[in-house]
Amino acid sequence: MLQLKDKVAVVTGAGTGIGSEIAGELGKQGASVVVHYNTSKVGAEETTQLITKIGGNATPIHANLEKVSECIRLIQDSFKHYGGIDILINNAAVSTEEDFLDTSEELWDQTVNTNLRAPFFCAQSAARGMIERGGGKIINIGSVHGLVSTSICGAYAAAKGGLHMLTRQMAIALAPYGINVNCVAPGLIEVERYYRLFPDYDREDAARMIPLRRVGFPNDVAPLVAFLCTEHASFITGQVIFVDGGQICILSTHRD
């Protein structure tokens, strides 16, 4: 059964990793999908092709979400293309790692602007249109780093923690308009960039840190996001749901 038939979804950062998987899952569920990308044009085109191959409807749209004007344009272009938006997935993010004492203003701004400011203004713009359509769903993609973190993830953790709180604020503000707002917070989700950015990454070693004794993958996240976009989740709002194999249970209780 196509749970999202006749719905229009915008997925930011859908050219790679979790975003691509989410876009594909929403397409499988019948939604028409705007596949947003910034630098991953090839990936966005591949994601679009995968959706159309299964009989879905998708279109790639470029925008640099570090700029508020581009956030607004993305939503406006999506409205123009499909006539409206029912679902917004704020997934686009930059993963930055830098020691606290070495973190530059440039890195801080890039991280916070992309990971926190962009979701706010994308959601604000989309919500205005959702109100006219009688409601909608907004899903923010957070992180375990929004609750617990390390010494090299200051900017990233601050942005994701802010996104978790923003989810709750938006849920209160938009509830009267029939808009549900939730956050899905992944833990260690193996994506292609892991092997490029972390030469020492080892799947088996990483799995030992997780109670379920395996790492996660994008297809562990996407079905939950899709569920939250359906009417089955109509009484769920303002929640931060961790998808981490139990990792947060260990991290939140750890003591040196």
Side-chain angles (χ1 to χ4, degrees), residues 221-245:
V221 179
L224 173 60
V225 174
F227 168 75
L228 291 172
C229 294
T230 70
E231 289 307 305
H232 295 298
S234 63
F235 201 55
I236 302 173
T237 197
Q239 303 305 305
V240 178
I241 305 171
F242 291 92
V243 183
D244 65 350

Side-chain angles (χ1 to χ4, degrees), residues 57-125:
N57 191 334
T59 186
I61 296 181
H62 171 266
N64 178 1
L65 300 186
E66 282 190 62
K67 303 176 181 179
V68 172
S69 61
E70 287 283 277
C71 296
I72 296 170
R73 182 186 61 77
L74 168 65
I75 301 303
Q76 290 176 339
D77 286 354
S78 300
F79 267 90
K80 290 176 183 177
H81 191 86
Y82 285 114
I85 296 174
D86 303 288
I87 297 164
L88 170 66
I89 312 298
N90 279 315
N91 168 77
V94 291
S95 297
T96 51
E97 297 185 345
E98 191 67 80
D99 185 81
F100 176 79
L101 296 176
D102 296 326
T103 299
S104 65
E105 179 181 0
E106 181 182 12
L107 183 139
W108 173 270
D109 287 347
Q110 179 194 26
T111 306
V112 174
N113 289 352
T114 304
N115 297 7
L116 181 58
R117 189 174 72 174
F120 179 93
F121 284 101
C122 284
Q124 184 187 69
S125 185

Side-chain angles (χ1 to χ4, degrees), residues 9-41:
V10 176
V11 183
T12 68
T16 61
I18 294 173
S20 177
E21 190 73 22
I22 291 172
E25 183 65 27
L26 297 184
K28 289 177 186 176
Q29 293 294 330
S32 296
V33 185
V34 171
V35 180
H36 161 263
Y37 71 95
N38 182 21
T39 60
S40 302
K41 181 179 180 179

Side-chain angles (χ1 to χ4, degrees), residues 146-196:
L147 185 62
V148 294
S149 194
T150 69
S151 63
I152 59 173
C153 291
Y156 183 81
K160 289 298 186 179
L163 187 60
H164 292 184
M165 195 62 234
L166 179 61
T167 297
R168 297 184 174 100
Q169 187 278 329
M170 287 168 53
I172 296 169
L174 298 177
Y177 304 104
I179 299 174
N180 299 68
V181 185
N182 290 290
C183 179
V184 172
L188 200 166
I189 304 297
E190 183 182 300
V191 292
E192 49 269 51
R193 67 180 176 80
Y194 270 38
Y195 292 95
R196 184 179 72 255

